[in-house]
Amino acid sequence: MEKYLLRNIDNPNSADLNEYAKAGGYKALAKALAMEPAAIIDSVKKAGLRGRGGAGFPTGMKWSFAAADPKKPKYVVCNADEGEPGTFKDRPILEKNPHLLIEGMVISGHALDAEYGYIYLRGEYPGAKDILDGAIRQAYDKGYLGDDILGTGTRFHLAVHQGAGAYICGEETALIESLEGKRGQPRIKPPFPVNEGFLAKPTVVNNVETLANLPLIIEIGADAYAQIGSVDCPGPKLYSVSGHVNKPGVYELPMGTTLRDIIYTHCGGIRGGKKLKAVIPGGISTPILPADQIDCPMDFSAMLKHGSMLGSGAVMVFDETVDLVKVCYRAIKFFEHESCGKCTPCREGVGWLRSILGRIDRGAGREGDIELLLEIAKNIFGRTFCPLGDGAAGVVQSFIKHFRGEFESKITTTKRTAGVA
């Protein structure tokens, strides 16, 4: 497939505005500025773009809610806080194609009549901060940002806000709290950010990859865009692949490419000729799949039918040598560390899961531990402010569902070592 989102990034100066413009950059912005805002929103709806941050919500629909709200000013916020293990798909855009993101944000601002935008950047990406700041300065100098963009009277100002390294700030309301200078904790919804977001004004929060798709939709048109990828989830998709494959990295492929094709065709198969054991398809919060269930199209709709989720498209591959009890334990340690502590099921429940998994992993597991894990997970799921608790619970449930034998084996080995009949 022709590269759209990663176009020109092999150019060593791809982050420079002049190189971006030589490759056709900012033409879509000029085209969009000549369109009525409502027409842009209609194009995004017709294209079928769904948010690439993990939830997969229809982007055009989200925009229409904010556009219809009369409160001013309005804000466009880019969620560039990709802090989930295995997720690094946005990084090439931030570091090598920043003007694609800027162009997408200005188009979004024009469509929503928003005059201000912020890029909420992951704290662990200090290099990207410098690159984005430089690209924004260039865009101001060339008239792509400011009070009179390309002489059309359109006003849009943009700045980078660097987070402090909290996974929870990838959740849109926690991100907004952090952006306002508060502790990064999720808000109760409703009201939703599209009506009461940053400073209680209409705010659209979109992921980096989502915004980077906008110039393409304007450039080739909604009909052509809808022909890329799957019917339910059109467009190109960035998949970040890590683990035991021969060629890990970020791949731009049509939405709906199967896990098998990603692993064996594009990533060169399993490293060292070993057998595949399991795959986490969309970041650590998505349910794990065993090796015999990888013939599934990677899009938001199909993955649900196959018992997992697309998430952010962060594919984590495990070969036959991996101890999956230990992987589950480490995943829950991550969730416990990153829980903001606002709600009891997440704050207390995830710590309890970590404690039980830890004793199983170190050889001190007890009879009934598996049932206890499932009971705790059931009582976390659906009872938390934000999806972090659901993610932790889902990890435990899916690991036990597909690899219960490994948990039982560790506990049985413990009993034998202790001399229990």
Side-chain angles (χ1 to χ4, degrees):
M1 186 191 82
E2 181 183 353
K3 288 182 180 178
Y4 299 105
L5 307 180
L6 302 182
R7 181 191 297 170
N8 201 39
I9 67 165
D10 293 331
N11 179 342
N13 297 315
S14 60
D16 181 76
L17 187 149
N18 294 320
E19 296 299 312
Y20 180 69
K22 282 181 188 175
Y26 284 114
K27 288 182 179 176
L29 174 59
K31 187 176 176 182
L33 291 175
M35 297 169 64
E36 292 295 326
I40 297 174
I41 295 175
D42 286 344
S43 290
V44 174
K45 285 182 177 177
K46 193 174 180 182
L49 177 64
R50 296 176 63 168
R52 301 298 202 247
F57 192 81
T59 303
M61 185 182 296
K62 179 187 269 192
W63 284 16
S64 63
F65 296 145
D69 196 309
K71 295 194 293 291
K72 295 289 289 287
K74 299 178 183 180
Y75 298 92
V76 176
V77 177
C78 172
N79 185 347
D81 191 57
E82 56 176 4
E84 187 160 297
T87 304
F88 47 92
K89 68 181 179 63
D90 292 338
R91 192 169 182 176
I93 295 175
L94 295 167
E95 295 185 348
K96 295 179 181 294
N97 215 0
H99 286 286
L100 179 67
L101 173 60
I102 294 169
E103 186 175 12
M105 291 192 73
V106 182
I107 291 172
S108 176
H110 175 56
L112 298 166
D113 195 20
E115 297 180 347
Y116 303 100
Y118 294 97
I119 299 172
Y120 189 97
L121 180 66
R122 182 184 183 190
E124 292 87 347
Y125 284 174
K129 171 73 164 54
D130 294 338
I131 293 168
L132 285 167
D133 283 341
I136 288 171
R137 283 195 297 271
Q138 284 187 315
Y140 270 108
D141 290 343
K142 291 288 186 178
Y144 296 121
L145 289 170
D147 291 328
D148 185 20
I149 297 172
L150 299 181
T152 63
T154 299
R155 183 170 188 252
F156 191 76
H157 291 271
L158 181 62
V160 178
H161 179 97
Q162 196 164 19
Y167 171 60
I168 191 62
C169 289
E171 195 277 336
E172 63 175 358
T173 60
L175 184 157
I176 290 170
E177 287 281 298
S178 174
L179 195 60
E180 292 178 350
K182 305 170 189 169
R183 184 175 181 178
Q185 290 189 321
R187 298 175 179 173
I188 294 176
K189 295 185 282 189
F192 292 94
V194 288
N195 298 117
E196 291 189 29
F198 182 58
L199 303 177
K201 293 296 191 296
T203 302
V204 165
V205 180
N206 281 142
N207 168 262
V208 173
E209 186 185 349
T210 310
L211 292 161
N213 268 269
L214 299 173
L216 175 62
I217 293 172
I218 300 299
E219 177 186 339
I220 67 175
D223 290 337
Y225 182 91
Q227 298 303 310
I228 303 170
S230 58
V231 174
D232 288 342
C233 308
K237 178 75 189 84
L238 297 179
Y239 300 99
S240 58
V241 187
S242 60
H244 297 142
V245 291
N246 284 309
K247 296 185 293 182
V250 178
Y251 291 84
E252 182 180 353
L253 301 167
M255 183 75 92
T257 303
T258 67
L259 260 182
R260 182 178 296 281
D261 278 347
I262 292 172
I263 295 169
Y264 287 99
T265 303
H266 300 284
C267 295
I270 307 303
R271 195 172 61 195
K274 292 186 170 60
K275 292 181 180 177
L276 175 66
K277 185 173 185 178
V279 184
I280 296 176
I284 197 69
S285 61
T286 59
I288 193 169
L289 294 174
D292 61 356
Q293 295 185 21
I294 61 171
D295 290 303
C296 46
M298 286 281 282
D299 68 30
F300 293 108
S301 302
M303 289 304 293
L304 291 175
K305 297 173 185 172
H306 285 79
S308 190
M309 296 184 290
L310 175 65
S312 61
V315 181
M316 304 167 74
V317 181
F318 304 101
D319 72 19
E320 58 187 322
T321 68
V322 173
D323 178 348
L324 290 177
V325 175
K326 191 176 290 298
V327 173
C328 186
Y329 170 51
R330 289 180 175 175
I332 297 304
K333 282 181 72 177
F334 167 79
F335 283 110
E336 182 190 29
H337 182 267
E338 296 296 335
S339 172
C340 73
K342 183 168 183 172
C343 52
T344 305
C346 183
R347 183 183 63 244
E348 302 295 333
V350 176
W352 197 1
L353 291 175
R354 187 269 308 150
S355 175
I356 297 167
L357 286 165
R359 71 175 178 237
I360 296 174
D361 180 58
R362 66 175 181 271
R366 305 168 188 167
E367 189 173 346
D369 271 352
I370 295 174
E371 289 71 24
L372 184 55
L373 285 169
L374 291 173
E375 184 66 18
I376 297 167
K378 186 179 74 174
N379 281 287
I380 295 173
F381 203 90
R383 292 180 169 86
T384 57
F385 275 92
C386 76
L388 191 144
D390 286 356
V395 166
V396 171
Q397 290 169 332
S398 70
F399 270 70
I400 293 176
K401 175 184 176 182
H402 294 297
F403 300 98
R404 187 182 184 110
E406 291 202 25
F407 290 81
E408 292 174 339
S409 178
K410 276 209 169 185
I411 294 172
T412 302
T413 302
T414 301
K415 289 170 62 180
R416 285 176 182 161
T417 305
V420 178

